[in-house]
Amino acid sequence: MKSVYIEILILTLFACISGARAQVSYEVDDTIQGEAVDMPIGVFVTEEDLDSDLVADSVTDGQSGTFSFEDSVIISRLSLIPTTIEMPLNNVTRRYIQNYSRRYNPSVSAMLASIDFYSPIFEEALERYELPLELKYLPVIESALRPSATSRVGAAGLWQFMPATGRRYGLVINTLVDERRDPIKSSEAAAHYLSDLYNMFGDWGLAIAAYNCGERNIQKAIIRCGNPENADFWTIYNHLPHETRGYVPAFIAANYIMTYYYEHGIEPREKTLPDEVDTVMVVADIHFDRISSVCGLDIDGLKVLNPQYRRNIVPANYALCLPVEAVEPYLNYESTVYSGNISGLRRATVADMPQYEPAKSRYRKGKKSRRGQSSGSKNVTVRSGDSLSAIAKRNGTSVAKLKRLNGIKGDKIRAGQKIRVK
């Protein structure tokens, strides 16, 4: 019973200091002496992964970087990321930035080909909980943006949920379905979990670290550091599990490299995910092979868009994700697919069908409106150092909406560019 009271007191203390963080600092602090850099497990790929459309060519050891920058340049770039999350440059974060920009730049190139597809999903979930949008890069270090990723301890999906934590946040895990791999549902669960962690610790460094190693490990590290009132990630650094010591630095480095990849000579790989997708609800259990026969899609492609279905079966009352051009053929032959009578069924093409107008979906990528701008439209000019997050905040809108209005597929914008905000 005594331990319960102590834990309550600790959580109360965390709540009291939740708003007391100082202004974000970007000065170099080399008092932190990190061990040899251990890159997050999510970066590494297997031979099986190398055949996937979503990952890079093999990681090359000792690849030397062509582009090197002074600390002052890195600090300036970090300071231009509009966020409330501290992103300092020190011995540890510097090493992670170097590794992402040099040795692991093939993996970065592959992730850049996928981020445009997943980013709107991540941002929508984060915005719902009013969280910093920069948290969308956590899946970069967790899974290298691979819904199929599974860790050696059993964490799965883009956000690498353990089964118990996934179920705690409403994710279904059974023989047919593993919603830890569902991009939309796992992003919602991750945003909820991150919100709870921030409310507990009042500091994003601590919350992000807790996402990696659990709340109790952070609580113990805060007690051991000897100064719980002023605890942050760096003050408890030496009391953290080894893997977690590299987690927040890797997160900072991921934000940096996914924003400034071009400056380091990294080009995105050619994307293989669809530009637009939509979802349909199925009314009875249906196997991927029947969907494939109707829509002209290979089963591997269906797996990529529907990674949560463990046996290639979509159960009744679950959503099926399809490329937008495949939805009309599916709907036209839906009853035949459910009946199982697909012998001799010709594969429908978009040209055979009336024009299909997909419903709004969280999966849909941003496109300019076909109807043109409304009479109430408003444009702004991008300032030097601006980002989509900063523009969205100034104009009372969201990054996802800006991307939809302007047909922007990534995060890169340039000074002088005209951006439609409504």
Side-chain angles (χ1 to χ4, degrees), residues 63-242:
Q63 180 175 342
S64 60
T66 308
F67 299 83
S68 297
F69 297 96
E70 298 293 331
D71 283 351
S72 59
V73 175
I74 306 298
I75 292 170
S76 175
R77 290 174 180 169
L78 287 169
S79 70
L80 291 175
I81 297 175
T83 183
T84 55
I85 301 174
E86 288 198 5
M87 296 188 183
L89 184 69
N90 56 38
N91 269 335
V92 186
T93 55
R94 186 189 294 110
R95 293 178 194 174
Y96 279 87
I97 289 172
Q98 289 171 347
N99 265 18
Y100 267 127
S101 63
R102 299 178 184 178
R103 184 180 177 189
Y104 295 95
N105 66 37
S107 285
V108 174
S109 178
M111 289 187 284
L112 288 167
S114 303
I115 191 64
D116 288 349
F117 183 83
Y118 292 116
S119 186
I121 302 171
F122 300 159
E123 289 175 352
E124 185 170 341
L126 294 168
E127 285 185 330
R128 221 175 348 264
Y129 287 86
E130 300 182 347
L131 304 182
L133 295 184
E134 292 68 41
L135 293 168
K136 69 183 178 181
Y137 294 125
L138 271 180
V140 166
I141 65 174
E142 285 285 355
S143 62
L145 298 180
R146 292 174 291 143
S148 62
T150 303
S151 78
R152 63 177 181 270
V153 296
L158 289 161
W159 296 89
Q160 289 290 282
F161 274 102
M162 292 294 288
T165 309
R167 290 190 174 100
R168 193 202 321 170
Y169 284 90
L171 299 179
V172 173
I173 306 169
N174 57 37
T175 302
L176 294 180
V177 178
D178 186 347
E179 290 184 341
R180 295 177 299 168
R181 303 184 191 280
D182 184 313
I184 290 178
K185 292 183 178 179
S186 67
S187 297
E188 182 75 17
H192 191 174
Y193 186 27
L194 286 163
S195 177
D196 287 349
L197 291 172
Y198 183 73
N199 289 335
M200 179 181 293
F201 295 108
D203 174 87
W204 276 117
L206 297 177
I208 292 168
Y211 189 90
N212 176 252
C213 68
E215 304 95 307
R216 292 186 181 276
N217 280 323
I218 300 301
Q219 291 164 359
K220 289 186 289 187
I222 289 174
I223 294 171
R224 288 170 180 162
C225 80
N227 188 15
E229 293 83 2
N230 297 305
D232 62 16
F233 175 79
W234 300 106
T235 60
I236 69 170
Y237 180 87
N238 292 317
H239 303 282
L240 291 169
H242 181 79

Side-chain angles (χ1 to χ4, degrees), residues 369-385:
S369 170
R370 296 177 182 176
R371 301 179 182 177
Q373 297 184 4
S374 67
S375 59
S377 64
K378 176 184 176 183
N379 296 312
V380 299
T381 302
V382 177
R383 309 170 188 170
S384 178

